[in-house]
Short mmCIF file of all heavy atoms in Angstrom, two decimals:
data_model
loop_
_atom_site.label_atom_id
_atom_site.label_comp_id
_atom_site.label_asym_id
_atom_site.label_seq_id
_atom_site.Cartn_x
_atom_site.Cartn_y
_atom_site.Cartn_z
N MET A 1 64.86 12.35 -166.34
CA MET A 1 65.56 12.76 -165.14
C MET A 1 66.25 11.53 -164.54
O MET A 1 65.67 10.46 -164.48
CB MET A 1 64.58 13.38 -164.14
CG MET A 1 65.25 13.87 -162.88
SD MET A 1 64.14 14.58 -161.66
CE MET A 1 64.04 16.25 -162.26
N SER A 2 67.45 11.71 -164.06
CA SER A 2 68.21 10.61 -163.47
C SER A 2 67.67 10.29 -162.07
O SER A 2 66.97 11.09 -161.45
CB SER A 2 69.68 10.98 -163.38
OG SER A 2 69.86 11.95 -162.37
N LEU A 3 68.04 9.10 -161.56
CA LEU A 3 67.61 8.73 -160.21
C LEU A 3 68.19 9.68 -159.16
O LEU A 3 67.52 9.98 -158.17
CB LEU A 3 68.03 7.29 -159.90
CG LEU A 3 67.23 6.20 -160.59
CD1 LEU A 3 67.76 4.83 -160.20
CD2 LEU A 3 65.76 6.30 -160.26
N VAL A 4 69.39 10.17 -159.40
CA VAL A 4 69.99 11.13 -158.47
C VAL A 4 69.15 12.40 -158.44
O VAL A 4 68.89 12.97 -157.38
CB VAL A 4 71.46 11.43 -158.84
CG1 VAL A 4 72.03 12.55 -158.00
CG2 VAL A 4 72.30 10.17 -158.72
N GLY A 5 68.69 12.83 -159.61
CA GLY A 5 67.84 14.01 -159.69
C GLY A 5 66.50 13.80 -159.00
O GLY A 5 66.00 14.69 -158.32
N VAL A 6 65.92 12.61 -159.19
CA VAL A 6 64.65 12.29 -158.53
C VAL A 6 64.86 12.29 -157.02
O VAL A 6 64.07 12.87 -156.27
CB VAL A 6 64.11 10.93 -159.01
CG1 VAL A 6 62.91 10.50 -158.17
CG2 VAL A 6 63.72 10.98 -160.48
N ALA A 7 65.92 11.64 -156.54
CA ALA A 7 66.19 11.59 -155.10
C ALA A 7 66.40 12.99 -154.54
O ALA A 7 65.92 13.30 -153.44
CB ALA A 7 67.40 10.71 -154.82
N ALA A 8 67.09 13.84 -155.28
CA ALA A 8 67.34 15.20 -154.81
C ALA A 8 66.05 16.01 -154.71
O ALA A 8 65.94 16.90 -153.87
CB ALA A 8 68.34 15.90 -155.73
N SER A 9 65.07 15.69 -155.56
CA SER A 9 63.82 16.45 -155.55
C SER A 9 62.87 16.00 -154.45
O SER A 9 61.90 16.69 -154.14
CB SER A 9 63.13 16.33 -156.90
OG SER A 9 62.61 15.02 -157.09
N LEU A 10 63.14 14.85 -153.82
CA LEU A 10 62.28 14.34 -152.76
C LEU A 10 62.78 14.84 -151.41
O LEU A 10 63.98 14.87 -151.17
CB LEU A 10 62.27 12.81 -152.76
CG LEU A 10 61.69 12.15 -154.01
CD1 LEU A 10 61.90 10.64 -153.94
CD2 LEU A 10 60.21 12.46 -154.14
N PRO A 11 61.86 15.20 -150.51
CA PRO A 11 62.31 15.61 -149.18
C PRO A 11 62.88 14.42 -148.42
O PRO A 11 62.49 13.28 -148.64
CB PRO A 11 61.04 16.13 -148.52
CG PRO A 11 59.92 15.48 -149.25
CD PRO A 11 60.41 15.24 -150.65
N THR A 12 63.82 14.70 -147.53
CA THR A 12 64.37 13.64 -146.70
C THR A 12 63.29 13.20 -145.73
O THR A 12 62.79 14.01 -144.96
CB THR A 12 65.60 14.15 -145.92
OG1 THR A 12 66.57 14.60 -146.85
CG2 THR A 12 66.21 13.04 -145.08
N PRO A 13 62.91 11.93 -145.81
CA PRO A 13 61.82 11.49 -144.93
C PRO A 13 62.25 11.42 -143.47
O PRO A 13 63.31 10.91 -143.15
CB PRO A 13 61.47 10.10 -145.46
CG PRO A 13 62.64 9.67 -146.26
CD PRO A 13 63.38 10.89 -146.68
N SER A 14 61.41 12.00 -142.60
CA SER A 14 61.68 11.93 -141.17
C SER A 14 60.35 11.98 -140.43
O SER A 14 59.32 12.36 -140.99
CB SER A 14 62.57 13.07 -140.72
OG SER A 14 61.90 14.30 -140.85
N GLU A 15 60.40 11.58 -139.21
CA GLU A 15 59.21 11.59 -138.36
C GLU A 15 59.63 12.00 -136.96
O GLU A 15 60.48 11.34 -136.36
CB GLU A 15 58.58 10.19 -138.37
CG GLU A 15 57.36 10.05 -137.49
CD GLU A 15 56.77 8.67 -137.60
OE1 GLU A 15 57.41 7.70 -137.18
OE2 GLU A 15 55.66 8.58 -138.11
N ASN A 16 59.07 13.09 -136.49
CA ASN A 16 59.43 13.61 -135.17
C ASN A 16 60.95 13.81 -135.04
O ASN A 16 61.53 13.49 -134.01
CB ASN A 16 58.92 12.70 -134.06
CG ASN A 16 57.41 12.59 -134.07
OD1 ASN A 16 56.72 13.55 -134.38
ND2 ASN A 16 56.90 11.43 -133.77
N GLY A 17 61.57 14.27 -136.10
CA GLY A 17 62.99 14.53 -136.08
C GLY A 17 63.88 13.30 -136.25
O GLY A 17 65.09 13.41 -136.29
N GLN A 18 63.29 12.13 -136.34
CA GLN A 18 64.04 10.89 -136.51
C GLN A 18 63.91 10.42 -137.96
O GLN A 18 62.82 10.47 -138.53
CB GLN A 18 63.51 9.80 -135.58
CG GLN A 18 63.62 10.14 -134.11
CD GLN A 18 65.07 10.33 -133.69
OE1 GLN A 18 65.91 9.52 -134.01
NE2 GLN A 18 65.34 11.40 -132.98
N PRO A 19 65.00 9.96 -138.57
CA PRO A 19 64.92 9.50 -139.96
C PRO A 19 64.04 8.25 -140.09
O PRO A 19 63.96 7.44 -139.18
CB PRO A 19 66.36 9.19 -140.34
CG PRO A 19 67.10 9.08 -139.05
CD PRO A 19 66.35 9.85 -138.03
N CYS A 20 63.41 8.14 -141.23
CA CYS A 20 62.61 6.97 -141.57
C CYS A 20 63.36 6.16 -142.62
O CYS A 20 64.29 6.66 -143.25
CB CYS A 20 61.26 7.38 -142.14
SG CYS A 20 60.25 8.33 -141.00
N THR A 21 62.94 4.95 -142.86
CA THR A 21 63.58 4.10 -143.86
C THR A 21 62.76 4.06 -145.13
O THR A 21 61.54 3.87 -145.09
CB THR A 21 63.74 2.67 -143.32
OG1 THR A 21 64.51 2.73 -142.12
CG2 THR A 21 64.44 1.77 -144.31
N ALA A 22 63.43 4.22 -146.28
CA ALA A 22 62.79 4.11 -147.58
C ALA A 22 63.10 2.73 -148.14
O ALA A 22 64.20 2.21 -147.96
CB ALA A 22 63.33 5.19 -148.52
N TYR A 23 62.12 2.12 -148.79
CA TYR A 23 62.33 0.81 -149.39
C TYR A 23 61.41 0.60 -150.58
O TYR A 23 60.46 1.35 -150.78
CB TYR A 23 62.19 -0.31 -148.35
CG TYR A 23 60.87 -0.31 -147.61
CD1 TYR A 23 59.81 -1.09 -148.03
CD2 TYR A 23 60.70 0.47 -146.48
CE1 TYR A 23 58.61 -1.09 -147.35
CE2 TYR A 23 59.50 0.47 -145.78
CZ TYR A 23 58.46 -0.32 -146.23
OH TYR A 23 57.26 -0.32 -145.56
N CYS A 24 61.69 -0.43 -151.36
CA CYS A 24 60.93 -0.74 -152.57
C CYS A 24 59.70 -1.54 -152.20
O CYS A 24 59.74 -2.42 -151.34
CB CYS A 24 61.82 -1.54 -153.53
SG CYS A 24 60.97 -2.12 -155.02
N GLU A 25 58.59 -1.25 -152.89
CA GLU A 25 57.35 -1.98 -152.67
C GLU A 25 56.58 -2.04 -153.99
O GLU A 25 56.69 -1.14 -154.82
CB GLU A 25 56.51 -1.25 -151.61
CG GLU A 25 55.20 -1.92 -151.29
CD GLU A 25 54.48 -1.20 -150.17
OE1 GLU A 25 53.73 -0.25 -150.47
OE2 GLU A 25 54.66 -1.58 -149.01
N VAL A 26 55.82 -3.08 -154.17
CA VAL A 26 54.96 -3.17 -155.34
C VAL A 26 53.86 -2.14 -155.17
O VAL A 26 53.20 -2.08 -154.14
CB VAL A 26 54.35 -4.59 -155.48
CG1 VAL A 26 53.38 -4.64 -156.64
CG2 VAL A 26 55.44 -5.62 -155.67
N ARG A 27 53.71 -1.29 -156.18
CA ARG A 27 52.66 -0.27 -156.19
C ARG A 27 51.87 -0.41 -157.47
O ARG A 27 52.27 -1.11 -158.39
CB ARG A 27 53.28 1.13 -156.11
CG ARG A 27 53.83 1.40 -154.73
CD ARG A 27 54.45 2.74 -154.49
NE ARG A 27 54.04 3.88 -155.28
CZ ARG A 27 54.76 4.98 -155.38
NH1 ARG A 27 55.92 5.08 -154.75
NH2 ARG A 27 54.34 5.98 -156.10
N ALA A 28 50.75 0.26 -157.53
CA ALA A 28 49.90 0.21 -158.72
C ALA A 28 50.71 0.60 -159.95
O ALA A 28 51.31 1.66 -160.00
CB ALA A 28 48.71 1.15 -158.56
N GLY A 29 50.79 -0.29 -160.90
CA GLY A 29 51.50 -0.02 -162.14
C GLY A 29 52.96 -0.39 -162.15
O GLY A 29 53.64 -0.20 -163.13
N GLY A 30 53.48 -0.92 -161.05
CA GLY A 30 54.88 -1.30 -161.05
C GLY A 30 55.48 -1.33 -159.66
O GLY A 30 54.87 -1.83 -158.71
N TYR A 31 56.66 -0.74 -159.54
CA TYR A 31 57.42 -0.75 -158.28
C TYR A 31 57.76 0.68 -157.91
O TYR A 31 58.12 1.48 -158.77
CB TYR A 31 58.71 -1.55 -158.44
CG TYR A 31 58.46 -2.97 -158.84
CD1 TYR A 31 58.34 -3.32 -160.17
CD2 TYR A 31 58.32 -3.96 -157.88
CE1 TYR A 31 58.08 -4.63 -160.55
CE2 TYR A 31 58.06 -5.28 -158.25
CZ TYR A 31 57.94 -5.60 -159.58
OH TYR A 31 57.67 -6.89 -159.95
N GLY A 32 57.66 0.99 -156.64
CA GLY A 32 57.98 2.33 -156.20
C GLY A 32 58.63 2.31 -154.83
O GLY A 32 58.79 1.26 -154.22
N VAL A 33 58.98 3.49 -154.38
CA VAL A 33 59.59 3.65 -153.08
C VAL A 33 58.51 4.08 -152.09
O VAL A 33 57.66 4.91 -152.41
CB VAL A 33 60.71 4.71 -153.12
CG1 VAL A 33 61.25 5.02 -151.74
CG2 VAL A 33 61.83 4.24 -154.04
N VAL A 34 58.54 3.49 -150.93
CA VAL A 34 57.68 3.92 -149.84
C VAL A 34 58.57 4.22 -148.64
O VAL A 34 59.66 3.69 -148.51
CB VAL A 34 56.60 2.87 -149.47
CG1 VAL A 34 55.59 2.71 -150.59
CG2 VAL A 34 57.21 1.55 -149.11
N VAL A 35 58.06 5.08 -147.78
CA VAL A 35 58.77 5.45 -146.56
C VAL A 35 57.97 4.91 -145.40
O VAL A 35 56.78 5.20 -145.26
CB VAL A 35 58.93 6.98 -146.46
CG1 VAL A 35 59.57 7.37 -145.15
CG2 VAL A 35 59.73 7.50 -147.64
N GLY A 36 58.60 4.11 -144.57
CA GLY A 36 57.92 3.54 -143.41
C GLY A 36 57.85 4.56 -142.28
O GLY A 36 58.85 5.12 -141.87
N ARG A 37 56.64 4.81 -141.82
CA ARG A 37 56.42 5.74 -140.71
C ARG A 37 55.67 5.02 -139.60
O ARG A 37 55.11 3.95 -139.81
CB ARG A 37 55.63 6.95 -141.17
CG ARG A 37 56.34 7.77 -142.24
CD ARG A 37 55.58 9.07 -142.49
NE ARG A 37 56.14 9.80 -143.60
CZ ARG A 37 57.21 10.60 -143.52
NH1 ARG A 37 57.83 10.75 -142.37
NH2 ARG A 37 57.66 11.23 -144.57
N LEU A 38 55.62 5.61 -138.44
CA LEU A 38 54.93 5.05 -137.28
C LEU A 38 55.39 3.62 -137.00
O LEU A 38 54.59 2.70 -136.85
CB LEU A 38 53.41 5.10 -137.47
CG LEU A 38 52.81 6.50 -137.61
CD1 LEU A 38 51.33 6.41 -137.96
CD2 LEU A 38 53.01 7.31 -136.35
N GLY A 39 56.69 3.44 -136.96
CA GLY A 39 57.24 2.13 -136.68
C GLY A 39 56.94 1.10 -137.75
O GLY A 39 56.87 -0.09 -137.47
N GLY A 40 56.76 1.55 -138.99
CA GLY A 40 56.47 0.64 -140.11
C GLY A 40 55.00 0.33 -140.29
O GLY A 40 54.62 -0.44 -141.16
N ARG A 41 54.14 0.96 -139.49
CA ARG A 41 52.70 0.69 -139.61
C ARG A 41 52.06 1.47 -140.76
O ARG A 41 50.99 1.10 -141.25
CB ARG A 41 51.99 1.01 -138.30
CG ARG A 41 52.37 0.06 -137.17
CD ARG A 41 51.54 0.31 -135.92
NE ARG A 41 51.61 1.66 -135.43
CZ ARG A 41 52.51 2.12 -134.56
NH1 ARG A 41 53.45 1.32 -134.10
NH2 ARG A 41 52.49 3.37 -134.17
N VAL A 42 52.70 2.55 -141.19
CA VAL A 42 52.18 3.37 -142.28
C VAL A 42 53.27 3.52 -143.33
O VAL A 42 54.40 3.86 -143.01
CB VAL A 42 51.78 4.77 -141.76
CG1 VAL A 42 51.34 5.66 -142.91
CG2 VAL A 42 50.69 4.67 -140.72
N ASN A 43 52.94 3.23 -144.58
CA ASN A 43 53.87 3.37 -145.69
C ASN A 43 53.40 4.51 -146.58
O ASN A 43 52.30 4.48 -147.10
CB ASN A 43 53.96 2.08 -146.51
CG ASN A 43 54.54 0.96 -145.71
OD1 ASN A 43 55.40 1.17 -144.88
ND2 ASN A 43 54.06 -0.24 -145.93
N GLU A 44 54.26 5.50 -146.74
CA GLU A 44 53.94 6.67 -147.54
C GLU A 44 54.69 6.62 -148.86
O GLU A 44 55.92 6.57 -148.87
CB GLU A 44 54.35 7.91 -146.76
CG GLU A 44 54.04 9.21 -147.45
CD GLU A 44 54.45 10.38 -146.58
OE1 GLU A 44 53.97 10.47 -145.45
OE2 GLU A 44 55.28 11.19 -147.05
N PRO A 45 53.98 6.61 -150.00
CA PRO A 45 54.66 6.58 -151.30
C PRO A 45 55.54 7.81 -151.49
O PRO A 45 55.19 8.91 -151.06
CB PRO A 45 53.52 6.58 -152.31
CG PRO A 45 52.31 6.16 -151.56
CD PRO A 45 52.53 6.61 -150.14
N ALA A 46 56.69 7.60 -152.13
CA ALA A 46 57.61 8.70 -152.43
C ALA A 46 58.20 8.47 -153.81
O ALA A 46 58.77 7.43 -154.07
CB ALA A 46 58.72 8.76 -151.39
N GLY A 47 58.05 9.44 -154.68
CA GLY A 47 58.64 9.34 -156.01
C GLY A 47 57.78 8.60 -157.00
O GLY A 47 56.65 8.20 -156.72
N PRO A 48 58.33 8.38 -158.19
CA PRO A 48 57.57 7.76 -159.29
C PRO A 48 57.47 6.24 -159.16
O PRO A 48 58.10 5.62 -158.32
CB PRO A 48 58.40 8.14 -160.52
CG PRO A 48 59.80 8.23 -160.00
CD PRO A 48 59.67 8.77 -158.61
N VAL A 49 56.65 5.68 -160.04
CA VAL A 49 56.51 4.22 -160.15
C VAL A 49 57.35 3.77 -161.35
O VAL A 49 57.34 4.42 -162.40
CB VAL A 49 55.03 3.83 -160.36
CG1 VAL A 49 54.88 2.35 -160.62
CG2 VAL A 49 54.22 4.24 -159.14
N PHE A 50 58.09 2.68 -161.18
CA PHE A 50 58.96 2.15 -162.23
C PHE A 50 58.43 0.79 -162.70
O PHE A 50 57.84 0.05 -161.91
CB PHE A 50 60.38 1.98 -161.70
CG PHE A 50 60.99 3.25 -161.19
CD1 PHE A 50 61.03 3.52 -159.83
CD2 PHE A 50 61.52 4.18 -162.07
CE1 PHE A 50 61.60 4.68 -159.35
CE2 PHE A 50 62.09 5.35 -161.60
CZ PHE A 50 62.13 5.61 -160.23
N PRO A 51 58.68 0.43 -163.96
CA PRO A 51 58.21 -0.86 -164.45
C PRO A 51 58.98 -2.06 -163.88
O PRO A 51 58.46 -3.17 -163.85
CB PRO A 51 58.41 -0.78 -165.97
CG PRO A 51 59.42 0.30 -166.18
CD PRO A 51 59.31 1.23 -165.01
N ARG A 52 60.20 -1.83 -163.42
CA ARG A 52 61.03 -2.91 -162.86
C ARG A 52 61.53 -2.51 -161.47
O ARG A 52 61.76 -1.34 -161.19
CB ARG A 52 62.21 -3.19 -163.77
CG ARG A 52 61.78 -3.67 -165.15
CD ARG A 52 62.99 -4.08 -165.96
NE ARG A 52 62.65 -4.34 -167.33
CZ ARG A 52 62.19 -5.50 -167.79
NH1 ARG A 52 62.03 -6.50 -166.97
NH2 ARG A 52 61.90 -5.64 -169.06
N PRO A 53 61.74 -3.49 -160.59
CA PRO A 53 62.12 -3.16 -159.22
C PRO A 53 63.51 -2.56 -159.07
O PRO A 53 63.77 -1.83 -158.12
CB PRO A 53 62.02 -4.50 -158.48
CG PRO A 53 62.15 -5.54 -159.53
CD PRO A 53 61.56 -4.94 -160.78
N ARG A 54 64.43 -2.84 -159.98
CA ARG A 54 65.81 -2.38 -159.83
C ARG A 54 65.90 -0.87 -159.62
O ARG A 54 66.65 -0.39 -158.78
CB ARG A 54 66.63 -2.82 -161.05
CG ARG A 54 68.03 -2.29 -161.13
CD ARG A 54 69.09 -3.00 -160.36
NE ARG A 54 69.20 -4.40 -160.72
CZ ARG A 54 69.50 -5.34 -159.84
NH1 ARG A 54 69.71 -5.02 -158.59
NH2 ARG A 54 69.60 -6.58 -160.19
N GLN A 55 65.13 -0.08 -160.39
CA GLN A 55 65.19 1.38 -160.26
C GLN A 55 64.62 1.85 -158.93
O GLN A 55 65.16 2.76 -158.31
CB GLN A 55 64.45 2.04 -161.41
CG GLN A 55 65.15 1.88 -162.75
CD GLN A 55 64.32 2.45 -163.87
OE1 GLN A 55 63.20 2.01 -164.09
NE2 GLN A 55 64.88 3.42 -164.57
N ALA A 56 63.55 1.22 -158.47
CA ALA A 56 62.96 1.59 -157.18
C ALA A 56 63.92 1.25 -156.04
O ALA A 56 64.06 2.02 -155.09
CB ALA A 56 61.62 0.90 -156.99
N ILE A 57 64.59 0.12 -156.13
CA ILE A 57 65.57 -0.26 -155.11
C ILE A 57 66.72 0.74 -155.09
O ILE A 57 67.17 1.18 -154.03
CB ILE A 57 66.07 -1.69 -155.36
CG1 ILE A 57 64.95 -2.69 -155.11
CG2 ILE A 57 67.28 -2.01 -154.48
CD1 ILE A 57 65.24 -4.10 -155.61
N ALA A 58 67.19 1.13 -156.28
CA ALA A 58 68.28 2.10 -156.36
C ALA A 58 67.86 3.45 -155.79
O ALA A 58 68.65 4.10 -155.09
CB ALA A 58 68.75 2.25 -157.81
N LEU A 59 66.63 3.88 -156.05
CA LEU A 59 66.14 5.15 -155.51
C LEU A 59 66.04 5.06 -153.99
O LEU A 59 66.43 5.99 -153.28
CB LEU A 59 64.79 5.51 -156.13
CG LEU A 59 64.17 6.82 -155.65
CD1 LEU A 59 65.10 8.00 -155.87
CD2 LEU A 59 62.83 7.05 -156.35
N ALA A 60 65.54 3.96 -153.47
CA ALA A 60 65.47 3.78 -152.01
C ALA A 60 66.87 3.81 -151.41
O ALA A 60 67.08 4.42 -150.35
CB ALA A 60 64.76 2.47 -151.67
N ASP A 61 67.84 3.20 -152.07
CA ASP A 61 69.22 3.23 -151.59
C ASP A 61 69.77 4.66 -151.54
O ASP A 61 70.46 5.04 -150.60
CB ASP A 61 70.13 2.36 -152.45
CG ASP A 61 69.96 0.88 -152.20
OD1 ASP A 61 69.36 0.51 -151.17
OD2 ASP A 61 70.42 0.09 -153.05
N LEU A 62 69.46 5.46 -152.57
CA LEU A 62 69.90 6.85 -152.58
C LEU A 62 69.29 7.64 -151.42
O LEU A 62 69.98 8.40 -150.75
CB LEU A 62 69.54 7.51 -153.91
CG LEU A 62 70.36 7.10 -155.12
CD1 LEU A 62 69.73 7.63 -156.41
CD2 LEU A 62 71.79 7.59 -154.99
N LEU A 63 67.99 7.44 -151.20
CA LEU A 63 67.33 8.14 -150.09
C LEU A 63 67.89 7.69 -148.75
O LEU A 63 68.17 8.50 -147.87
CB LEU A 63 65.82 7.91 -150.13
CG LEU A 63 65.07 8.60 -151.27
CD1 LEU A 63 63.62 8.17 -151.28
CD2 LEU A 63 65.18 10.11 -151.13
N ASN A 64 68.07 6.40 -148.58
CA ASN A 64 68.62 5.89 -147.32
C ASN A 64 70.06 6.34 -147.11
O ASN A 64 70.47 6.59 -145.98
CB ASN A 64 68.50 4.37 -147.26
CG ASN A 64 67.07 3.92 -147.05
OD1 ASN A 64 66.28 4.60 -146.41
ND2 ASN A 64 66.72 2.78 -147.61
N GLY A 65 70.83 6.46 -148.19
CA GLY A 65 72.19 6.96 -148.08
C GLY A 65 72.21 8.40 -147.61
O GLY A 65 73.06 8.81 -146.81
N ARG A 66 71.26 9.18 -148.07
CA ARG A 66 71.15 10.56 -147.62
C ARG A 66 70.74 10.61 -146.15
O ARG A 66 71.20 11.45 -145.40
CB ARG A 66 70.14 11.30 -148.49
CG ARG A 66 70.15 12.80 -148.29
CD ARG A 66 69.38 13.49 -149.34
NE ARG A 66 67.95 13.23 -149.15
CZ ARG A 66 67.04 13.50 -150.07
NH1 ARG A 66 67.37 13.99 -151.23
NH2 ARG A 66 65.77 13.25 -149.84
N LEU A 67 69.89 9.69 -145.73
CA LEU A 67 69.47 9.65 -144.34
C LEU A 67 70.64 9.35 -143.41
O LEU A 67 70.71 9.86 -142.30
CB LEU A 67 68.39 8.59 -144.13
CG LEU A 67 67.03 8.87 -144.77
CD1 LEU A 67 66.15 7.65 -144.63
CD2 LEU A 67 66.38 10.06 -144.13
N ALA A 68 71.56 8.51 -143.88
CA ALA A 68 72.69 8.11 -143.05
C ALA A 68 73.64 9.28 -142.79
O ALA A 68 74.40 9.25 -141.83
CB ALA A 68 73.44 6.97 -143.72
N THR A 69 73.56 10.31 -143.63
CA THR A 69 74.48 11.45 -143.46
C THR A 69 73.81 12.64 -142.80
O THR A 69 74.43 13.68 -142.67
CB THR A 69 75.05 11.88 -144.83
OG1 THR A 69 73.98 12.29 -145.69
CG2 THR A 69 75.83 10.76 -145.47
N THR A 70 72.53 12.51 -142.42
CA THR A 70 71.84 13.66 -141.78
C THR A 70 71.85 13.52 -140.29
O THR A 70 72.09 12.51 -139.72
CB THR A 70 70.39 13.78 -142.27
OG1 THR A 70 69.69 12.58 -141.98
CG2 THR A 70 70.33 14.11 -143.74
#
């Protein structure tokens, strides 16, 4: 599945009606996307884990791009 397909399958992250920010973070087994909630105090994993950071960064960019248009 392409990154666009993965991003489309993930819900748009929000908290109390306000968009949250998605970003790349080291996760067990590689790199993944997390969504910062509660002012960045809680990070919620979103999507798969990738062996290299480039794909996780690209996925976070896709999610954040979608947030900018909502």
